[in-house]
Amino acid sequence: MPPAFTAEEKARITEVLLETGERLFTGQGMRKTSLEELMAPTGVAKSSFYVFFDSKEDLYLELMVRQAAQVKQRVIDQALLTSPDVREGLRRFLRATLEELSANPLWRRLTTHPEEMQAVARKLDPARMAAMGDNPATALADYLERHRSDLVPAAPQVITGVLQCVLLVPV
């Protein structure tokens, strides 16, 4: 049985796990990251991982949740929604998303490896996933639906798919 940790130890180890998880997940992916690699910098036994997180997917989700609000603010609130012109809003969204993908390795990893997000979604309950809030893809789809008449006559899902493809080219 893993040892009991003080509140200070638990906080320190959680931060080490988050830092290590972000580094390993962005570098080699969730599947190739082992519990041994995650726990090594903490100095405690591998089995203690489950005192802090239910699974690797739970750790991954926590990293995403911690960044989601800032990503949404930069990509949606400060880019997509800042122009009354729909096309200009979409241009700003694309620029901001490219900047985010350049500067944020975790979100770049999620964009280029959607199977990792699917693995996280499969493993965790919907209430925990909802903690991420409104993500850029959902906000973009909502925006396109609201401004459907201002764009080419195509379904919002088609436009979203085209924009996602455009974003993947430079990545």
Side-chain angles (χ1 to χ4, degrees):
M1 177 171 196
F5 296 99
T6 66
E8 294 81 22
E9 289 172 324
K10 199 166 184 180
R12 180 191 64 78
I13 293 169
T14 298
E15 281 307 310
V16 170
L17 284 170
L18 288 165
E19 291 169 11
T20 304
E22 184 168 1
R23 181 177 47 78
L24 293 172
F25 292 157
T26 58
Q28 62 193 33
M30 185 173 55
R31 186 178 303 161
K32 291 183 181 177
T33 299
S34 69
L35 288 183
E36 290 89 352
E37 292 171 305
L38 287 168
M39 292 304 290
T42 68
V44 297
K46 175 178 82 168
S47 60
S48 295
F49 176 83
Y50 298 104
V51 170
F52 303 94
F53 295 97
D54 293 336
S55 63
K56 288 191 301 185
E57 291 83 0
D58 189 36
L59 172 58
Y60 205 107
L61 181 64
E62 182 59 31
L63 289 166
M64 292 167 27
V65 166
R66 288 180 174 219
Q67 292 184 10
Q70 293 100 359
V71 170
K72 181 188 175 291
Q73 182 180 18
R74 289 187 293 266
V75 173
I76 300 301
D77 302 337
Q78 295 174 352
L80 182 66
L81 302 178
T82 58
S83 175
D85 180 61
V86 176
R87 286 175 173 76
E88 179 59 25
L90 289 172
R91 279 190 285 277
R92 290 177 184 185
F93 169 82
L94 287 169
R95 277 189 222 107
T97 302
L98 287 172
E99 288 172 16
E100 192 66 37
L101 292 172
S102 295
N104 188 329
L106 183 65
W107 285 86
R108 181 173 52 247
R109 179 81 190 185
L110 285 171
T111 302
T112 58
H113 295 82
E115 71 280 359
E116 291 187 6
M117 183 61 208
Q118 292 165 353
V120 170
R122 274 194 309 271
K123 188 92 174 198
L124 301 170
D125 67 89
R128 182 76 172 112
M129 286 297 292
M132 279 192 62
D134 195 18
N135 66 60
T138 303
L140 175 63
D142 293 345
Y143 180 83
L144 292 171
E145 185 63 45
R146 283 193 314 276
H147 297 285
R148 185 179 219 158
S149 63
D150 300 327
L151 298 168
V152 295
Q157 300 88 337
V158 172
I159 297 170
T160 301
V162 168
L163 291 174
Q164 287 173 331
C165 289
V166 167
L167 289 169
L168 285 176
V169 170
V171 173

